[in-house]
Amino acid sequence: MTNSQKDPLFILIKSLSKSEKRQFKLYVGRLGMNTDSKFLALFNLLDKADAYHEDVILSQGIVKKQQLSNLKAHLYKQILISLRLNPLHQNVRIQIREQLDFATILYHKGLYKQSLKLLDKAKAIAIDNEEKNVAYEIVELEKLIETQYITRSISGRSDELITQAESLSRLNLIASQLSNLSLHLYGLMLKTGYVRNDEENELVTEFFYERFPKFVSEELGFREKFWMYNAYLWYSFLTQDFLSCFKYASKWVAIFYENPQMIYLNPVFYLKGNHYLLESLFFIKYKTQMKAALEKMEETIEQERFPRNDNIQSLSFLYKYLNKLNLHFLEGSFEAGLLLENEILKGLQIHKDRIDDHHVMVFYYKIACMYFGINDNRTCILYLKKIIENKNLTMREDLMCFSRVLSLVAHYEAGLDYHLEVQLRSTYKFLLKMNDLQEVQKEMIRFLKDLGSIYPHELKHAFKKLHKRLKKFEDHPYEKRAFLYLDIISWLESKIENRPIGDIIREKSKKLIR
């Protein structure tokens, strides 16, 4: 039996809106012979089903077991054709491809002049919209036609096409090299994480500049600039140069606002650029600019022209609420942040098929931090437990690590000391397996391990000693990131001054005027 969560056809059908389902049935029914077709019967059955069960399909007598795979593949293809014809899914990129297809058909019929006319129109649209890959395909077809049909309408037509082809080829190569470099850096981030010392920093820097292509800046268009900023951004993230992250994320977002049509043609890249901008602003604690950038992104998303397919809706939800929580965390406005809890949990349920497990756990961690901030440690522990018990969270071990450390602190704060020893042993084992112990984590584990032997009247002195040891890492190039996940410094100050942690963070937030 195929798992309903993994069956592509079932997931596709369940993702369709009412209007898309209606259009599909109209598309199938355009010929009378299709109204009783097997694939339509399968569509109706799966549309009504709550889960995918192969035995239920076979029991309906729609198809034999040997033919089911082919029928599913045919239905999947027909749904995609129907979606392609839907005006909601039409964009400039699809329109250009359609014109190229039409021109190719005319060429094969020997109607060269008509084909060239369509190609010229499609090429102009492609170049205007930075679709240089398809523009290059168009030029190559134009060259092919010109060798068979000499129009003589333009003097030096062959020279013009050669120049266009060379220019597009070079720009496509630059964009490809930059996008490959971005992907390499992203893969490096997933594999090894941020650099942890000068040696790793040097290796990443050497890796980056060896693969960075040579070009003249003035020749770059929107697409090449986009990939250049993308590559610089990932390099800056890897090396924990968050000020440079802000610089290149700002440039990334700026080229979209300078070319507004690109926002609507490439909404995913627009959203991602804004997310990285907001994340870098959070890292460098530029609170006012972060608030302004978030508001501007929300205004753009709400515009009528902004595309609204399932993928974009999911990404909009993800980036909007992650950064809203980050802003509350920066401001120390934990009570206000928790007002978003129900909206977030509802959104996670709506978008569950399109938001990966890692991002769900990030939401849980941030909500746990909000509860920790208002001293509701038991609810904090419940959210952290969801992360710690997740066996699939392998890509971001740092998130698991800080969840475990925060859980230890929350257990201590909640007075659940009897669980502490078991958790300490479990956390030790986990950290040793990680082979990625930061000094901040080591200091916290040592402190919590010794808590049982510290007398109550000695606690404040112990907190001050730990505060002094950790304070030196607050601006350390490779250790400072730990405080972005867990503001241990503010927690210690709250214990030393006997004040709520929220008050401490809010006071610090007021001083962050940049």
Side-chain angles (χ1 to χ4, degrees), residues 10 55 73 124 179 187 222 290 292 345 379-380 426 433 436 463 511:
F10 185 77
D55 51 350
S179 64
F222 172 90
M290 184 180 179
L345 296 178
T379 309
C380 170
S426 172
K433 286 179 184 175
D436 185 22
F463 285 134
K511 295 175 184 177

Side-chain angles (χ1 to χ4, degrees), residues 5 11 310-322 343-364 390:
Q5 299 304 314
I11 292 171
D310 295 331
N311 181 47
I312 292 166
Q313 294 281 66
S314 297
L315 288 176
S316 298
F317 162 79
L318 182 67
Y319 297 149
K320 175 182 171 182
Y321 283 97
L322 279 177
E343 290 177 49
I344 290 168
L345 296 178
K346 185 179 177 183
L348 289 175
Q349 184 60 31
I350 292 169
H351 302 286
K352 62 183 178 181
D353 290 329
R354 287 174 292 277
I355 293 181
D356 61 272
D357 205 34
H358 159 69
H359 280 107
V360 174
M361 296 302 115
V362 171
F363 272 118
Y364 288 163
N390 188 316

Side-chain angles (χ1 to χ4, degrees), residues 144-365:
L144 179 65
I145 295 173
E146 286 291 346
T147 62
Q148 298 176 49
Y149 178 72
I150 307 301
T151 60
R152 302 188 187 279
S153 57
I154 302 174
S155 177
R157 172 73 169 159
S158 59
D159 291 338
E160 178 193 345
L161 290 175
I162 290 168
T163 302
Q164 278 188 334
E166 287 175 347
S167 174
L168 289 168
S169 177
R170 172 160 171 72
L171 291 172
N172 283 335
L173 178 61
I174 292 170
S176 179
Q177 289 172 327
L178 288 167
S179 64
N180 287 344
L181 178 56
S182 297
L183 193 58
H184 271 303
L185 294 168
Y186 178 66
L188 204 59
M189 172 72 87
L190 295 180
K191 186 178 178 181
T192 62
Y194 296 93
V195 298
R196 289 161 288 189
N197 49 55
D198 289 338
E199 185 183 353
E200 289 186 4
N201 195 326
E202 192 175 328
L203 285 171
V204 169
T205 300
E206 188 178 329
F207 177 91
F208 178 76
Y209 285 106
E210 277 181 357
R211 288 163 177 77
F212 198 85
K214 291 181 174 63
F215 51 77
V216 179
S217 298
E218 287 73 22
E219 69 179 321
L220 302 186
F222 172 90
R223 189 180 55 141
E224 296 76 44
K225 287 179 182 177
F226 162 75
W227 284 117
M228 179 176 67
Y229 299 147
N230 195 305
Y232 271 118
L233 179 75
W234 279 113
Y235 168 64
S236 303
F237 267 127
L238 267 170
T239 56
Q240 300 197 57
D241 182 356
F242 299 128
L243 199 58
S244 288
C245 290
F246 164 61
K247 174 184 175 181
Y248 291 108
S250 296
K251 288 175 178 289
W252 176 336
V253 172
I255 58 170
F256 274 96
Y257 289 128
E258 289 163 10
N259 302 271
Q261 77 277 12
M262 292 300 167
I263 295 175
Y264 313 111
L265 186 60
N266 301 283
V268 170
F269 289 140
Y270 167 78
L271 289 170
K272 283 184 178 291
N274 272 279
H275 173 60
Y276 295 136
L277 172 61
L278 291 163
E279 193 171 42
S280 59
L281 286 166
F282 170 67
F283 287 165
I284 58 178
K285 299 182 179 180
Y286 279 24
K287 181 181 63 174
T288 307
Q289 283 179 264
M290 184 180 179
K291 196 170 185 177
L294 182 57
E295 287 174 358
K296 192 168 184 180
M297 183 186 79
E298 287 186 84
E299 285 173 10
T300 304
I301 291 170
E302 294 302 318
Q303 288 177 7
E304 194 174 332
R305 283 187 64 194
F306 197 79
R308 280 174 175 74
N309 61 46
D310 295 331
N311 181 47
I312 292 166
Q313 294 281 66
S314 297
L315 288 176
S316 298
F317 162 79
L318 182 67
Y319 297 149
K320 175 182 171 182
Y321 283 97
L322 279 177
N323 288 294
K324 275 181 176 287
L325 288 177
N326 277 345
L327 185 58
H328 286 298
F329 192 76
L330 196 59
E331 293 176 335
S333 51
F334 302 118
E335 293 88 350
L338 284 171
L339 294 175
L340 301 171
E341 182 183 10
N342 289 335
E343 290 177 49
I344 290 168
L345 296 178
K346 185 179 177 183
L348 289 175
Q349 184 60 31
I350 292 169
H351 302 286
K352 62 183 178 181
D353 290 329
R354 287 174 292 277
I355 293 181
D356 61 272
D357 205 34
H358 159 69
H359 280 107
V360 174
M361 296 302 115
V362 171
F363 272 118
Y364 288 163
Y365 182 78

Side-chain angles (χ1 to χ4, degrees), residues 17 93 104 127 175 210 227 373 468 496:
S17 65
R93 195 173 289 114
T104 304
I127 291 172
E210 277 181 357
W227 284 117
K468 186 177 180 180
I496 293 165

Side-chain angles (χ1 to χ4, degrees), residues 5 60 108 122 138 211 217 223 243 292 365 479 483 492 509:
Q5 299 304 314
Q60 297 296 308
H108 287 306
I138 291 169
R211 288 163 177 77
S217 298
R223 189 180 55 141
L243 199 58
Y365 182 78
E479 295 286 340
F483 301 110
L492 288 169
S509 175

